């Protein structure tokens, strides 16, 4: 989604803002712009496309003089991704500039009213309406701060906004409602931003703003008020231990590859502190969960890859944890008036912790009196703060828009959760070697990822000219088939469909032809004989197949499977963790071979903070 950064301090603001915008690029964007004080005026420079275009324009500006400014990368929600719609936008008099992430739902109504008062707009955006409204309110308000607050009180929807003005040089006002906004506090300087990496090289001291709060920053000074009544709000300054190295590519060509290769460490970090040795053997410990009862039913709600992780875990939570599970896509759950009985709980899964639909689902569940567990990666994110209990996946920042290591960490944590519930329900619970399998997994991945990457590269060259792909699996591999298709389509733009193998003969098999290859999950588990029959059905219709196999699947070559991708033998649940990087690496190598923008695929954003 849009990236926001503002700076007020003693250094040239614009280069620092550009630096911050570069670090927010991973969120996805289609245009960018900055605003800064220029003598006694506000100057705005913006450009369509990548940040390089904006940098080019800034060369001919005297931007280095400014020590206060705001910058924005836009992901279009209202109006085309063209320069005139890019942020910052100016008020009617041109004396206030605004940047905004989110959607003002009632902007048309406000726009009509402002037009009747003589306002003229140059963009199609809701944001420009908001800054005109601030300007209009300023005519009667006693201060800019009051005008800002009044305008925000009239706006319905989601926003993280920041403004600078001619009237108060050196000052930034910012506010949030249902969109992320943070304050970075340095020595003699302050930052406002949508995300921590934007200012991490300059300060690690962070204040998390809450919905309905307004902040004023000026050099190193800052103050927060409640939007509702302008009462001052005491805020805590948090120290962030992250290091920027964690956000660099680590020698790989793309963040996506780096993040796939990081999965051994991700599993280790996710397990750390969560398995203890007792007299009766190893046990999972989640002290944060101990105060909650084992739910009578768990409703898992998430979007995209996080949803696929939830789907993958359903069977484990039911069979190992003994907890019945319902599963919903967040954008459906929030509008279907779900039945949530007492004793049931909602588990929301989100890497970013800011996905608008998932956050709305969380709030709905809370309104209905349901306890909510948040499974999140980003510390201090909205979902993490609003859930009753949060389980952090501890995967580190995920920069590539396509989610990879986050799913691995979600699957690890969900496996632990299933084991944890199993332990709590039954004192004689036995994990069947699964905990040992998890503990050995980092080493297993470490040993196999390099050769998997080579195999993926070979296969990519062979299959990259396909226009369509099926991903087919059964049992736990149904979710991985969905994920495989999602990964391939989002970064290579090849049409891909994920299906449960058993569903093929109910329609989709009509599509099978030599031009419509299949990526099959044929691992050694109880369903292997069924999968083998399904594979034969595809082969009988001249379908080409790449199959992920272990020992049993060796025989499939003789049946006509074109490519066998051998994976090592492992505990049946652990085998899923080997197929995940295989499908990720295949998508990655196809997209890279086709020369696509792997880390920032078209039309996509890392953090989907609008519905
Ligand atoms: C796919 C992808 C998306 C996200 C989805 C949910 O690669 O990244 O499908 O998984 O937008 O995002 P989070 O997990 O941040 O709620």
């Amino acid at each position: 989604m849009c990236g926001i950064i503002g700076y007020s301090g003693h250094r040239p603001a614009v280069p620092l803002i550009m630096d911050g915008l570069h670090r927010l690029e991973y969120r996805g964007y289609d245009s960018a712009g900055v605003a800064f004080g220029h003598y006694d005026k506000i100057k705005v420079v913006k450009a369509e496309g990548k940040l390089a275009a904006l940098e080019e324009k800034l060369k001919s500006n005297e931007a280095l003089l400014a020590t206060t400014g705001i910058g924005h990368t836009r992901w279009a929600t209202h109006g085309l991704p063209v320069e005139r719609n890019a942020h910052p936008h100016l008020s009617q008099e041109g004396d206030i500039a605004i940047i905004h992430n989110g959607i003002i739902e009632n902007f048309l109504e406000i726009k009509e009213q402002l037009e009747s008062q003589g306002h003229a707009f140059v963009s199609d955006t809701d944001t420009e309406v908001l800054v005109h409204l601030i300007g209009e309110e300023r005519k009667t308000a006693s201060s800019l701060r009051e005008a800002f607050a009044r305008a925000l009180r009239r706006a319905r929807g989601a926003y993280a906004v920041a403004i600078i003005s001619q009237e108060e040089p050196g000052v930034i006002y910012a506010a949030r409602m249902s969109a992320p906004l943070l304050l970075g506090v340095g020595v003699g300087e302050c930052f406002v931003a949508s995300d921590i990496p934007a200012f991490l090289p300059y300060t690690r001291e962070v204040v998390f703003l809450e919905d309905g709060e307004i902040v004023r920053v000026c050099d190193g000074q800052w103050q927060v008020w409640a939007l509702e009544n302008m009462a001052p709000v005491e805020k805590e300054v948090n120290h962030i231990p992250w290091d920027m190295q964690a956000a660099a590519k680590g020698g790989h060509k793309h963040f996506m590859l780096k993040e796939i290769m990081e999965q051994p460490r991700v599993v280790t970090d996710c397990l750390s502190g969560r398995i203890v040795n007792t007299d009766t053997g190893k046990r999972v410990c989640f002290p944060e969960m101990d105060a909650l009862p084992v739910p009578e039913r768990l409703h898992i709600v998430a979007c995209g890859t996080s949803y696929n992780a939830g789907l993958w875990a359903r069977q484990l939570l039911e069979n190992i944890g003994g907890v019945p599970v319902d599963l919903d896509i967040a954008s459906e759950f929030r509008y279907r008036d779900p039945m949530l009985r007492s004793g049931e709980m909602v588990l929301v899964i989100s890497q970013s912790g800011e996905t608008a639909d998932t956050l709305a689902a969380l709030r709905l569940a809370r309104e209905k009196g349901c306890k909510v567990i948040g499974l999140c990666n980003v510390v201090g994110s909205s979902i993490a703060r609003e859930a009753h209990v949060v389980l952090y996946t501890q995967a580190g920042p995920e920069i590539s828009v396509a989610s990879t290591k986050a799913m691995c960490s979600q699957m690890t944590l969900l496996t632990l959760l299933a084991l944890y519930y199993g332990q709590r329900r039954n004192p004689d619970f036995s994990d069947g070697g699964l905990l040992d399998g998890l503990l050995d997994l980092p080493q297993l991945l470490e040993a196999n990822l390099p050769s998997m990457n080579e195999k993926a590269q070979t296969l990519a060259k062979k299959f990259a000219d396909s226009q369509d792909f099926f991903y087919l699996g059964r049992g736990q591999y149904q979710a991985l088939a969905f994920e495989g298709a999602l990964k391939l389509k989002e970064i290579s733009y090849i049409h891909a469909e994920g299906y449960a193998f058993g569903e093929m003969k109910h329609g989709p098999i009509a599509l099978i032809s030599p031009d419509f290859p299949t990526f099959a999950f044929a691992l050694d588990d109880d369903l292997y004989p069924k999968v083998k029959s399904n594979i034969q059905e595809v082969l009988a219709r001249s379908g080409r197949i790449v199959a992920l196999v272990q020992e049993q699947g060796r025989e499939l070559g003789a049946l006509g499977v074109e490519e066998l991708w051998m994976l090592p033998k492992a505990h049946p649940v652990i085998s899923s963790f080997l197929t995940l990087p295989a499908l990720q690496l295949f998508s990655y190598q196809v997209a890279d071979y086709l020369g696509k923008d792997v880390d920032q695929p078209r039309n996509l954003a890392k953090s989907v903070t609008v519905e």
Side-chain angles (χ1 to χ4, degrees), residues 256 301-308 330 348-359 375-378 383 398 400-404 406-407 410 483 486-487 490-491 601 604-608:
M256 182 176 176
V301 186
C303 303
T305 292
S306 296
Y307 172 86
N308 290 340
V348 293
I349 307 176
S350 175
Q351 185 286 127
S352 61
E354 299 293 350
T355 301
D357 286 320
T358 312
L359 185 58
L375 203 143
C376 280
N377 190 34
V378 178
I383 289 176
E398 193 177 60
S400 169
V401 167
S403 191
T404 54
M407 182 163 179
Q410 290 163 348
E483 179 61 11
L486 175 62
K487 283 284 96 68
E490 70 181 323
I491 59 167
L604 292 181
K606 182 67 187 161
S607 182
V608 186

Side-chain angles (χ1 to χ4, degrees), residues 72-397:
H72 187 267
T73 45
R74 175 171 186 258
W75 188 75
T77 56
H78 284 87
L80 293 170
V82 292
E83 186 178 318
R84 93 192 141 76
N85 286 333
H87 300 206
H89 290 286
L90 288 170
S91 57
Q92 175 85 351
E93 285 74 26
D95 57 344
I96 306 169
I98 193 169
I99 50 175
H100 167 218
N101 176 13
I103 294 177
I104 306 298
E105 286 168 3
N106 55 339
F107 85 104
L108 280 177
E109 181 188 312
I110 300 173
K111 190 173 184 176
E112 265 172 35
Q113 192 199 328
L114 289 170
E115 276 169 342
S116 71
Q117 292 170 296
H119 285 252
F121 296 90
V122 294
S123 79
D124 310 320
T125 64
D126 49 345
T127 308
E128 191 187 10
V129 174
L130 185 59
V131 72
H132 275 238
L133 181 62
I134 298 167
E136 189 58 34
E137 293 288 356
R138 181 67 193 97
K139 292 179 184 162
T140 51
S142 62
S143 65
L144 178 61
R145 190 191 69 167
E146 193 196 324
F148 185 46
R150 276 200 208 165
L152 292 177
R153 284 188 207 118
R154 285 190 55 192
R156 272 203 319 270
Y159 56 77
V161 280
I163 59 167
I164 56 169
S165 74
Q166 242 166 257
E167 180 184 352
E168 294 190 48
V171 173
I172 302 174
Y173 286 100
R176 72 162 270 174
M177 187 65 76
S178 306
L181 191 68
L182 314 147
L183 179 62
V185 182
V187 179
E189 59 188 359
C190 277
F191 300 79
V192 291
S194 46
D195 215 348
I196 293 170
F199 54 70
L200 201 55
Y202 308 99
T203 180
R204 289 166 180 276
E205 308 310 311
V206 175
V207 176
F208 295 106
L209 296 174
E210 299 293 337
D211 284 353
E213 287 179 350
I214 288 190
V215 63
R216 177 186 193 272
V217 305
C218 182
D219 301 332
Q221 308 293 316
W222 56 276
Q223 184 164 11
V224 179
W225 298 271
L227 171 63
E228 198 186 356
N229 53 11
M230 295 315 279
V233 181
E234 287 293 316
K235 301 293 290 183
E236 198 184 310
V237 180
N238 300 267
H239 181 76
I240 298 296
W242 290 3
D243 120 29
M244 261 335 265
Q245 279 301 330
K249 288 182 197 162
H252 293 288
K253 187 172 175 189
H254 295 100
F255 280 112
M256 182 176 176
L257 184 57
K258 171 186 172 261
E259 287 160 8
I260 295 170
M261 293 305 195
E262 265 174 12
Q263 289 175 110
R265 188 196 53 72
V266 164
V267 176
T268 305
D269 289 352
C270 189
L271 296 179
S272 88
R274 286 167 169 156
I275 299 175
V276 287
N277 285 311
T278 67
D279 296 344
T280 51
K282 295 188 184 73
R283 289 179 76 80
V284 176
C285 74
F286 278 132
E288 56 275 61
M289 295 281 290
D290 290 345
L292 290 179
V294 175
E296 282 164 28
R297 178 172 288 275
L298 195 59
H299 299 262
I300 298 183
V301 186
C303 303
T305 292
S306 296
Y307 172 86
N308 290 340
L311 178 62
W312 176 82
R314 174 164 60 186
Q315 208 177 325
L316 288 186
L317 286 159
E318 292 194 335
N319 297 357
I320 297 178
V323 177
V325 171
D326 277 353
L327 199 74
D328 264 288
I329 291 166
S331 53
E332 292 298 320
F333 179 87
R334 64 183 289 193
Y335 291 117
R336 74 167 172 79
D337 192 17
M339 263 174 91
L340 302 173
R341 300 183 193 83
S342 78
E344 300 184 345
M345 287 181 206
V346 167
L347 170 72
V348 293
I349 307 176
S350 175
Q351 185 286 127
S352 61
E354 299 293 350
T355 301
D357 286 320
T358 312
L359 185 58
L362 176 158
R363 288 176 178 161
L364 176 72
R366 285 192 69 128
E367 264 166 45
K368 287 180 175 255
C370 211
K371 288 279 184 242
V372 180
I373 305 163
L375 203 143
C376 280
N377 190 34
V378 178
V379 177
S381 59
S382 302
I383 289 176
R385 282 179 289 127
E386 293 189 31
H388 291 100
V389 170
V390 54
L391 298 176
Y392 283 117
T393 47
Q394 300 171 184

